[in-house]
Amino acid sequence: MQQSERLVLREAHRADADFILALVNSEGWLRFIGDRGIRTLDQAIDYIENQLQSHYQAHGYGLYVVCIKPDHAPIGLCGLLNRDALPFPDLGFALLPQYHRQGFALEACEHVLNRAKTEWKLNTLLGITAPDNSASATLLTRLGFAETGTTRLEPTSEAVRRFERSLLS
């Protein structure tokens, strides 16, 4: 478990199934990230175990549950993902809609960027957004990422905006 001023970031576990179900079916997730077909608690548990937890085991990092202090209620996900289609890990983040525009995504991302540099010793990170996701593009720019064009995560998928940031210096 890691902490910032207002947040706790921790690995996901089975008990997060209700939260994950709500997050992946929120309007912003469906619009900008995509429908993962998760409609039941069992499917949410499967996502936690086979996506989130397996990424921690394979890479030493992944998407972390972002919890707000002091009660540690989960409000989103933030962390790094390794994708076959990308040469470097990418910064991912999503919050429940009631927590948008309060600086929580910025705070969580800054914490992850610090860990990427100091703990995981990464040199370069990417960020990707849907073409019309101006809020995420603005956040990536504020975090020091520069837009470098577009990319496709799969040959038949829609192109996404690609951002890059060096952690050297």
Side-chain angles (χ1 to χ4, degrees):
M1 181 168 45
Q2 299 287 319
Q3 297 189 45
S4 65
E5 183 180 339
R6 301 180 296 164
L7 304 171
V8 172
L9 280 74
R10 62 166 174 78
E11 291 187 3
H13 46 75
R14 292 172 64 97
D16 293 313
D18 284 322
F19 157 70
I20 292 294
L21 187 61
L23 182 65
V24 302
N25 287 293
S26 66
E27 180 184 348
W29 184 291
L30 293 171
R31 179 176 173 198
F32 296 123
I33 298 172
D35 189 345
R36 299 292 185 254
I38 299 170
R39 303 287 185 266
T40 67
L41 288 177
D42 285 340
Q43 290 171 328
I45 289 169
D46 183 66
Y47 176 78
I48 291 165
E49 292 177 345
N50 296 312
Q51 298 294 319
L52 301 179
Q53 291 177 347
S54 67
H55 204 279
Y56 308 141
Q57 293 163 0
H59 304 286
Y61 53 78
L63 288 175
Y64 296 95
V65 177
V66 177
C67 302
I68 192 166
K69 292 178 182 178
D71 63 357
H72 292 211
I75 66 168
L77 292 174
C78 183
L80 301 179
L81 294 165
N82 284 57
R83 301 178 197 257
D84 291 340
L86 299 175
F88 304 109
D90 78 278
L91 178 66
F93 49 88
L95 297 179
L96 291 169
Q98 62 267 38
Y99 297 99
H100 290 185
R101 302 197 184 285
Q102 298 174 55
F104 294 122
L106 176 65
E107 186 174 331
C109 288
E110 286 175 337
H111 181 78
V112 168
L113 290 175
N114 184 54
R115 289 184 74 192
K117 181 177 182 174
T118 61
E119 185 178 333
W120 302 315
K121 308 294 185 203
L122 298 172
N123 296 330
T124 304
L125 292 179
L126 300 176
I128 56 171
T129 70
D132 59 340
N133 189 343
S134 59
S136 288
T138 299
L139 177 57
L140 287 169
T141 301
R142 188 168 176 191
L143 290 165
F145 286 75
E147 190 162 2
T148 59
T150 62
T151 191
R152 293 181 191 277
L153 298 178
E154 297 178 20
T156 58
S157 67
E158 180 181 349
V160 293
R161 295 168 71 181
R162 176 183 158 147
F163 297 77
E164 188 169 327
R165 177 179 169 179
S166 171
L167 297 178
L168 299 174
S169 71

